[in-house]
Amino acid sequence: MLKGRVAVVTGSTSGIGLGIATMLAAEGAALMLNGFGDAAAIERLRRELAEQHGVTVAYSGADMSKPAQIRELIAAAQQQLGSVDILVNNAGIQHVAPIERFPDEKWDAIIAINLSAAFHATKAALPGMKQRRWGRIINIASTHGLVASAEKAAYVAAKHGIIGLTKVTALETANDGITCNAICPGWVLTPLVQQQVEARAKATGQTIEAAKIALLREKQPMLRFTTPEHLGALARFLCSDAAATMTGEALPMDGGWLAQ
Ligand code: NAD
């Protein structure tokens, strides 16, 4: 379905980004991977994805907190792979603390990586998409883009912000063959959430398994995690012709979190 298309997925060395990148490669898209991690492990991942799916896979270690590096990431994809047709703004970090004790530098980093990076990448990718009259921008927001939780001030602010950016991008591209949507996952058991599970287990003396269930039970009626593969399938749908008129949406996949 995506043969001849090029996808840039930020933060795709792990978790949800990797799940989405894998699904897009399976549909034939060439990939620009991005994210941090062990260089040898990333190179192994790059080669495996390319061999398994018969697509070109490149990698950039651009730091999504740095606008100049974000522009370089988009330029590198255009130079090495020919274009940027699909942009998945996924890289993200978390920090949990009450506002009075929330470190200023964590606020700045979360706003930069979880929100501003999507603006800079979208700004850099749009001219090429408009020229080719086809584009799919998928912003990975969160249920926290639509409702709040205590002790996540920066994350909730950034995720609400990215849903606003999604709507503006949709309006500005409505007649250019481009769609822009946000995906709002509930709990997904990635390293980002594993840290929260471990912190909870430590604070309460629970086992890791008990802490997982307690974490789910607090917010999510369905006591199971959404997976990166589930989210990859939703991203694939958003890249399909069936979703050609779907734009400006914030789409939850959240085990009933937002139904309450
Ligand atoms: P993760 O920690 O598994 O992956 C994060 C990815 O972002 C990694 O590849 C990491 O290297 C990369 N990254 C972090 N900082 C970066 C930077 N400065 N520059 C470039 N890359 C950077 O986390 P995840 O859970 O897969 O999160 C991915 C996205 O999904 C985030 O935006 C997160 O907010 C969102 N999300 C996650 C959940 C969940 O339950 N896990 C729920 C809703 C939304």
Side-chain angles (χ1 to χ4, degrees), residues 11-17 34-36 62-65 90-93 113-114 140-142 155 159 185-188 190-193:
S12 45
T13 52
S14 167
I16 293 169
N34 159 257
F36 298 150
D63 181 342
M64 289 298 109
S65 68
N90 165 79
I93 57 169
I113 297 165
N114 295 21
I140 305 306
S142 165
Y155 190 85
K159 295 300 186 182
W187 289 122
V188 187
T190 64
L192 183 140
V193 166

Side-chain angles (χ1 to χ4, degrees), residues 143 186-187 212-226 253-260:
T143 46
W187 289 122
K212 275 183 198 166
I213 294 295
L215 180 103
L216 288 166
R217 199 181 293 283
E218 203 172 72
K219 297 283 178 184
Q220 202 176 278
M222 199 179 276
L223 300 180
R224 59 179 282 202
F225 291 95
T226 294
M253 190 179 262
D254 68 351
W257 184 322
L258 295 170
Q260 301 163 99

Side-chain angles (χ1 to χ4, degrees), residues 18-238:
L18 179 55
I20 292 175
T22 304
M23 194 64 89
L24 298 178
E27 290 296 333
L31 275 185
M32 174 61 87
L33 295 175
N34 159 257
F36 298 150
D38 172 66
I42 292 173
E43 174 51 21
R44 215 168 27 248
L45 176 68
R46 191 197 65 74
R47 236 178 312 115
E48 277 169 11
L49 278 170
E51 282 164 14
Q52 227 163 24
H53 303 293
V55 295
T56 308
V57 182
Y59 165 74
S60 157
D63 181 342
M64 289 298 109
S65 68
K66 307 263 164 29
Q69 293 190 29
I70 297 169
R71 287 189 284 275
E72 281 165 24
L73 166 74
I74 299 298
Q78 287 165 337
Q79 279 155 21
Q80 293 171 36
L81 304 170
S83 60
V84 175
D85 306 298
I86 298 165
L87 171 63
V88 184
N89 290 307
N90 165 79
I93 57 169
Q94 175 63 288
H95 187 79
V96 180
I99 291 172
E100 307 96 293
R101 293 205 301 276
F102 209 95
D104 294 352
E105 61 280 8
K106 290 284 183 197
W107 169 273
D108 289 343
I110 290 174
I111 297 298
I113 297 165
N114 295 21
L115 175 58
S116 301
F119 163 74
H120 295 295
T122 299
K123 184 176 176 181
L126 272 183
M129 289 181 180
K130 284 188 172 171
Q131 203 177 20
R132 286 184 303 284
R133 299 202 60 76
W134 197 91
R136 293 287 184 270
I137 301 173
I138 300 173
N139 292 327
I140 305 306
S142 165
T143 46
H144 285 118
L146 296 163
V147 294
S149 291
E151 304 197 347
K152 294 186 175 174
Y155 190 85
V156 169
K159 295 300 186 182
H160 275 67
I162 205 171
I163 290 180
L165 174 66
T166 301
K167 292 176 183 173
V168 173
T169 307
L171 295 182
E172 292 187 8
T173 58
N175 293 299
D176 295 313
I178 297 166
T179 69
C180 179
N181 292 287
I183 294 180
C184 302
W187 289 122
V188 187
L189 193 57
T190 64
L192 183 140
V193 166
Q194 187 66 30
Q195 280 174 17
Q196 294 173 61
V197 169
E198 284 166 14
R200 180 183 280 261
K202 201 168 150 200
T204 59
Q206 287 171 310
T207 63
I208 293 288
E209 276 317 301
K212 275 183 198 166
I213 294 295
L215 180 103
L216 288 166
R217 199 181 293 283
E218 203 172 72
K219 297 283 178 184
Q220 202 176 278
M222 199 179 276
L223 300 180
R224 59 179 282 202
F225 291 95
T226 294
T227 66
E229 291 73 25
H230 291 143
L231 294 161
L234 180 53
R236 176 179 58 193
F237 172 72
L238 289 173

